[in-house]
Amino acid sequence: MGLINSGFGGRRGARDERLPPGQTLVGDWPVLSAGLTPDIGAHEWSFSIATETGTEHRWDWNELQDVGVEDIVTDIHCVTHWSKLGMAWRGVPLDRLFEDVETSYDYVMVHSYGGYTTNVPLDDLLDGKAWIATEAEGEPLTPEHGGPARLLVPHLYFWKSAKWVRGMRMMPSDEPGFWEQNGYHLRGDPWLEERYW
Ligand SMILES: Nc1nc2c(c(=O)[nH]1)N[C@H]1C(S)=C(S)[C@@H](COP(=O)(O)O)O[C@H]1N2
Ligand SMILES: [Mo]
């Protein structure tokens, strides 16, 4: 991966201040997938939120677009020490999708096509902090980067941003997803270096 020289003679610049501890800038966009890339067409994709009452809120591709997309510029940080600054994304805010969801549970298990899971506290998905992303850098998400749609939770390590996302299930307590069962931190704040537990 192409490393970008982030400093000028050791002076700390704006870029360094945006880099969490232990991270290195990359110019390209690495692909990190635990398994095979599922082949999901937008027409067969849907996203659902399931609550403790058995209620399931579901959006197909067109319904998701109708909720309303927004443009986001954000940095992303992978636990394997690479960060990418100022990426342009487009997606639907989770705030909008949770508007009609009634739940007393505080934790979410995120499920992907292909079987990947990751756990996120509900608070980390609301108040403008997370999106169902459908585009990056001005293009539809490619399959290897999670197309047609992935979760984007940029303030947490990038393993929380589940590719090929298909749904969320509310949970009464925090439970580990795929990488969390394999030693990754339950929350994953890059500024606190919550890498492993
Ligand atoms: N479904 C799914 N989502 C996933 C992963 C995965 O293996 N499967 N890998 C995670 C990890 S560890 C990272 S760093 C990012 C990588 O996203 P990218 O390949 O678009 O860079 O996706 C995350 N989301
Ligand atoms: Mo990662």
Side-chain angles (χ1 to χ4, degrees):
M1 53 185 88
L3 301 183
I4 293 177
N5 185 350
S6 59
F8 297 95
R11 187 162 52 87
R12 279 184 69 79
R15 288 190 145 182
D16 299 290
E17 277 155 30
R18 280 164 63 181
L19 210 51
Q23 295 295 109
T24 305
L25 284 179
V26 293
D28 57 357
W29 186 5
V31 172
L32 278 98
S33 302
L36 297 174
T37 296
D39 179 16
I40 315 290
H43 59 282
E44 56 186 328
W45 176 91
S46 74
F47 176 74
S48 65
I49 300 174
T51 70
E52 61 269 36
T53 62
T55 308
E56 198 176 72
H57 303 255
R58 183 179 292 275
W59 298 262
D60 66 19
W61 182 258
N62 292 327
E63 289 164 341
L64 184 83
Q65 314 299 319
D66 290 345
V67 173
V69 295
E70 49 181 58
D71 290 314
I72 310 113
V73 175
T74 189
D75 305 340
I76 59 173
H77 310 291
C78 175
V79 72
T80 63
H81 299 277
W82 59 266
S83 291
K84 203 166 159 52
L85 302 187
M87 284 191 79
W89 294 81
R90 176 168 287 176
V92 176
L94 263 296
D95 292 299
R96 297 293 313 282
L97 299 174
F98 271 94
E99 260 169 20
D100 296 327
V101 174
E102 282 184 34
T103 181
S104 61
Y105 287 177
D106 291 329
Y107 297 93
V108 174
M109 187 64 80
V110 185
H111 293 265
S112 292
Y113 291 95
Y116 185 85
T117 56
T118 188
N119 56 301
V120 186
L122 181 56
D123 277 351
D124 280 311
L125 297 177
L126 302 180
D127 296 322
K129 294 199 286 286
W131 296 264
I132 300 297
T134 55
E135 293 185 24
E137 310 289 38
E139 303 284 344
L141 275 179
T142 58
E144 59 270 25
H145 284 302
R150 74 182 295 166
L151 181 61
L152 175 65
V153 197
H155 72 289
L156 299 179
Y157 281 123
F158 207 35
W159 88 77
K160 297 289 185 181
S161 294
K163 304 196 275 192
W164 317 294
V165 67
R166 72 173 168 86
M168 295 182 171
R169 182 167 293 278
M170 299 307 305
M171 303 189 291
S173 57
D174 209 1
E175 306 223 12
F178 174 76
W179 279 120
E180 294 84 3
Q181 286 171 41
N182 287 283
Y184 283 17
H185 196 276
L186 273 180
R187 178 148 183 272
D189 182 335
W191 293 97
L192 302 176
E193 280 212 86
E194 292 175 339
R195 296 177 193 274
Y196 312 106
W197 64 306

PDB file of all heavy atoms in Angstrom, residues 86-101:
ATOM      1  N   GLY A  86     -10.268  12.086   4.727  1.00  0.00           N
ATOM      2  CA  GLY A  86     -11.076  12.877   3.804  1.00  0.00           C
ATOM      3  C   GLY A  86     -11.760  12.092   2.712  1.00  0.00           C
ATOM      4  O   GLY A  86     -11.859  12.568   1.581  1.00  0.00           O
ATOM      5  N   MET A  87     -12.289  10.916   3.030  1.00  0.00           N
ATOM      6  CA  MET A  87     -13.014  10.155   2.003  1.00  0.00           C
ATOM      7  C   MET A  87     -14.409  10.729   1.802  1.00  0.00           C
ATOM      8  O   MET A  87     -15.092  11.106   2.754  1.00  0.00           O
ATOM      9  CB  MET A  87     -13.158   8.686   2.414  1.00  0.00           C
ATOM     10  CG  MET A  87     -11.898   7.877   2.259  1.00  0.00           C
ATOM     11  SD  MET A  87     -12.292   6.117   2.452  1.00  0.00           S
ATOM     12  CE  MET A  87     -12.975   5.740   0.821  1.00  0.00           C
ATOM     13  N   ALA A  88     -14.849  10.757   0.545  1.00  0.00           N
ATOM     14  CA  ALA A  88     -16.199  11.223   0.217  1.00  0.00           C
ATOM     15  C   ALA A  88     -17.133  10.019   0.128  1.00  0.00           C
ATOM     16  O   ALA A  88     -16.877   9.081  -0.628  1.00  0.00           O
ATOM     17  CB  ALA A  88     -16.181  11.984  -1.105  1.00  0.00           C
ATOM     18  N   TRP A  89     -18.190  10.061   0.913  1.00  0.00           N
ATOM     19  CA  TRP A  89     -19.172   8.973   0.942  1.00  0.00           C
ATOM     20  C   TRP A  89     -20.566   9.528   0.671  1.00  0.00           C
ATOM     21  O   TRP A  89     -20.815  10.721   0.865  1.00  0.00           O
ATOM     22  CB  TRP A  89     -19.204   8.314   2.325  1.00  0.00           C
ATOM     23  CG  TRP A  89     -17.962   7.581   2.715  1.00  0.00           C
ATOM     24  CD1 TRP A  89     -16.819   8.140   3.222  1.00  0.00           C
ATOM     25  CD2 TRP A  89     -17.720   6.179   2.644  1.00  0.00           C
ATOM     26  NE1 TRP A  89     -15.901   7.154   3.478  1.00  0.00           N
ATOM     27  CE2 TRP A  89     -16.431   5.936   3.129  1.00  0.00           C
ATOM     28  CE3 TRP A  89     -18.491   5.086   2.218  1.00  0.00           C
ATOM     29  CZ2 TRP A  89     -15.879   4.663   3.209  1.00  0.00           C
ATOM     30  CZ3 TRP A  89     -17.942   3.819   2.297  1.00  0.00           C
ATOM     31  CH2 TRP A  89     -16.649   3.615   2.782  1.00  0.00           C
ATOM     32  N   ARG A  90     -21.468   8.648   0.258  1.00  0.00           N
ATOM     33  CA  ARG A  90     -22.889   9.003   0.183  1.00  0.00           C
ATOM     34  C   ARG A  90     -23.686   7.871   0.825  1.00  0.00           C
ATOM     35  O   ARG A  90     -23.404   6.696   0.592  1.00  0.00           O
ATOM     36  CB  ARG A  90     -23.315   9.197  -1.276  1.00  0.00           C
ATOM     37  CG  ARG A  90     -24.813   9.477  -1.431  1.00  0.00           C
ATOM     38  CD  ARG A  90     -25.136   9.954  -2.818  1.00  0.00           C
ATOM     39  NE  ARG A  90     -24.669  11.326  -3.021  1.00  0.00           N
ATOM     40  CZ  ARG A  90     -24.760  11.978  -4.185  1.00  0.00           C
ATOM     41  NH1 ARG A  90     -25.270  11.368  -5.245  1.00  0.00           N
ATOM     42  NH2 ARG A  90     -24.337  13.224  -4.278  1.00  0.00           N
ATOM     43  N   GLY A  91     -24.660   8.245   1.671  1.00  0.00           N
ATOM     44  CA  GLY A  91     -25.436   7.202   2.337  1.00  0.00           C
ATOM     45  C   GLY A  91     -26.631   7.763   3.074  1.00  0.00           C
ATOM     46  O   GLY A  91     -26.833   8.974   3.150  1.00  0.00           O
ATOM     47  N   VAL A  92     -27.428   6.846   3.615  1.00  0.00           N
ATOM     48  CA  VAL A  92     -28.638   7.205   4.346  1.00  0.00           C
ATOM     49  C   VAL A  92     -28.318   7.165   5.836  1.00  0.00           C
ATOM     50  O   VAL A  92     -27.830   6.156   6.344  1.00  0.00           O
ATOM     51  CB  VAL A  92     -29.780   6.217   4.028  1.00  0.00           C
ATOM     52  CG1 VAL A  92     -31.018   6.509   4.863  1.00  0.00           C
ATOM     53  CG2 VAL A  92     -30.097   6.246   2.541  1.00  0.00           C
ATOM     54  N   PRO A  93     -28.578   8.269   6.568  1.00  0.00           N
ATOM     55  CA  PRO A  93     -28.261   8.283   7.992  1.00  0.00           C
ATOM     56  C   PRO A  93     -29.100   7.267   8.784  1.00  0.00           C
ATOM     57  O   PRO A  93     -30.310   7.153   8.544  1.00  0.00           O
ATOM     58  CB  PRO A  93     -28.580   9.712   8.435  1.00  0.00           C
ATOM     59  CG  PRO A  93     -29.220  10.397   7.285  1.00  0.00           C
ATOM     60  CD  PRO A  93     -29.125   9.535   6.081  1.00  0.00           C
ATOM     61  N   LEU A  94     -28.470   6.568   9.698  1.00  0.00           N
ATOM     62  CA  LEU A  94     -29.193   5.620  10.546  1.00  0.00           C
ATOM     63  C   LEU A  94     -30.265   6.331  11.366  1.00  0.00           C
ATOM     64  O   LEU A  94     -31.283   5.733  11.715  1.00  0.00           O
ATOM     65  CB  LEU A  94     -28.218   4.867  11.461  1.00  0.00           C
ATOM     66  CG  LEU A  94     -27.740   3.485  11.011  1.00  0.00           C
ATOM     67  CD1 LEU A  94     -28.905   2.500  10.944  1.00  0.00           C
ATOM     68  CD2 LEU A  94     -27.032   3.523   9.678  1.00  0.00           C
ATOM     69  N   ASP A  95     -30.046   7.607  11.672  1.00  0.00           N
ATOM     70  CA  ASP A  95     -31.061   8.377  12.408  1.00  0.00           C
ATOM     71  C   ASP A  95     -32.417   8.281  11.722  1.00  0.00           C
ATOM     72  O   ASP A  95     -33.440   8.109  12.371  1.00  0.00           O
ATOM     73  CB  ASP A  95     -30.659   9.858  12.495  1.00  0.00           C
ATOM     74  CG  ASP A  95     -29.447  10.072  13.366  1.00  0.00           C
ATOM     75  OD1 ASP A  95     -29.520   9.745  14.550  1.00  0.00           O
ATOM     76  OD2 ASP A  95     -28.423  10.539  12.840  1.00  0.00           O
ATOM     77  N   ARG A  96     -32.408   8.413  10.396  1.00  0.00           N
ATOM     78  CA  ARG A  96     -33.663   8.377   9.648  1.00  0.00           C
ATOM     79  C   ARG A  96     -34.298   6.989   9.714  1.00  0.00           C
ATOM     80  O   ARG A  96     -35.500   6.849   9.871  1.00  0.00           O
ATOM     81  CB  ARG A  96     -33.429   8.778   8.180  1.00  0.00           C
ATOM     82  CG  ARG A  96     -32.928  10.216   7.988  1.00  0.00           C
ATOM     83  CD  ARG A  96     -33.983  11.246   8.385  1.00  0.00           C
ATOM     84  NE  ARG A  96     -35.308  10.954   7.844  1.00  0.00           N
ATOM     85  CZ  ARG A  96     -35.681  11.196   6.596  1.00  0.00           C
ATOM     86  NH1 ARG A  96     -34.848  11.767   5.744  1.00  0.00           N
ATOM     87  NH2 ARG A  96     -36.893  10.896   6.188  1.00  0.00           N
ATOM     88  N   LEU A  97     -33.455   5.959   9.624  1.00  0.00           N
ATOM     89  CA  LEU A  97     -33.984   4.597   9.608  1.00  0.00           C
ATOM     90  C   LEU A  97     -34.521   4.185  10.980  1.00  0.00           C
ATOM     91  O   LEU A  97     -35.429   3.370  11.075  1.00  0.00           O
ATOM     92  CB  LEU A  97     -32.900   3.622   9.121  1.00  0.00           C
ATOM     93  CG  LEU A  97     -32.399   3.911   7.701  1.00  0.00           C
ATOM     94  CD1 LEU A  97     -31.239   2.996   7.344  1.00  0.00           C
ATOM     95  CD2 LEU A  97     -33.520   3.758   6.678  1.00  0.00           C
ATOM     96  N   PHE A  98     -33.967   4.773  12.045  1.00  0.00           N
ATOM     97  CA  PHE A  98     -34.421   4.439  13.397  1.00  0.00           C
ATOM     98  C   PHE A  98     -35.590   5.310  13.862  1.00  0.00           C
ATOM     99  O   PHE A  98     -36.118   5.092  14.954  1.00  0.00           O
ATOM    100  CB  PHE A  98     -33.262   4.531  14.405  1.00  0.00           C
ATOM    101  CG  PHE A  98     -32.495   3.235  14.553  1.00  0.00           C
ATOM    102  CD1 PHE A  98     -31.349   3.005  13.802  1.00  0.00           C
ATOM    103  CD2 PHE A  98     -32.940   2.243  15.425  1.00  0.00           C
ATOM    104  CE1 PHE A  98     -30.655   1.805  13.933  1.00  0.00           C
ATOM    105  CE2 PHE A  98     -32.257   1.045  15.559  1.00  0.00           C
ATOM    106  CZ  PHE A  98     -31.104   0.828  14.809  1.00  0.00           C
ATOM    107  N   GLU A  99     -36.023   6.275  13.018  1.00  0.00           N
ATOM    108  CA  GLU A  99     -37.073   7.209  13.434  1.00  0.00           C
ATOM    109  C   GLU A  99     -38.325   6.511  13.960  1.00  0.00           C
ATOM    110  O   GLU A  99     -38.884   6.907  14.968  1.00  0.00           O
ATOM    111  CB  GLU A  99     -37.460   8.129  12.264  1.00  0.00           C
ATOM    112  CG  GLU A  99     -36.805   9.486  12.353  1.00  0.00           C
ATOM    113  CD  GLU A  99     -36.972  10.299  11.070  1.00  0.00           C
ATOM    114  OE1 GLU A  99     -37.885   9.999  10.261  1.00  0.00           O
ATOM    115  OE2 GLU A  99     -36.168  11.232  10.889  1.00  0.00           O
ATOM    116  N   ASP A 100     -38.765   5.456  13.250  1.00  0.00           N
ATOM    117  CA  ASP A 100     -40.005   4.785  13.641  1.00  0.00           C
ATOM    118  C   ASP A 100     -39.757   3.494  14.410  1.00  0.00           C
ATOM    119  O   ASP A 100     -40.681   2.718  14.654  1.00  0.00           O
ATOM    120  CB  ASP A 100     -40.841   4.477  12.394  1.00  0.00           C
ATOM    121  CG  ASP A 100     -41.282   5.759  11.700  1.00  0.00           C
ATOM    122  OD1 ASP A 100     -41.517   6.760  12.404  1.00  0.00           O
ATOM    123  OD2 ASP A 100     -41.365   5.750  10.460  1.00  0.00           O
ATOM    124  N   VAL A 101     -38.516   3.251  14.790  1.00  0.00           N
ATOM    125  CA  VAL A 101     -38.183   2.017  15.510  1.00  0.00           C
ATOM    126  C   VAL A 101     -38.337   2.261  17.008  1.00  0.00           C
ATOM    127  O   VAL A 101     -37.716   3.168  17.560  1.00  0.00           O
ATOM    128  CB  VAL A 101     -36.746   1.559  15.185  1.00  0.00           C
ATOM    129  CG1 VAL A 101     -36.358   0.359  16.037  1.00  0.00           C
ATOM    130  CG2 VAL A 101     -36.608   1.257  13.701  1.00  0.00           C
TER     131      VAL A 101
END
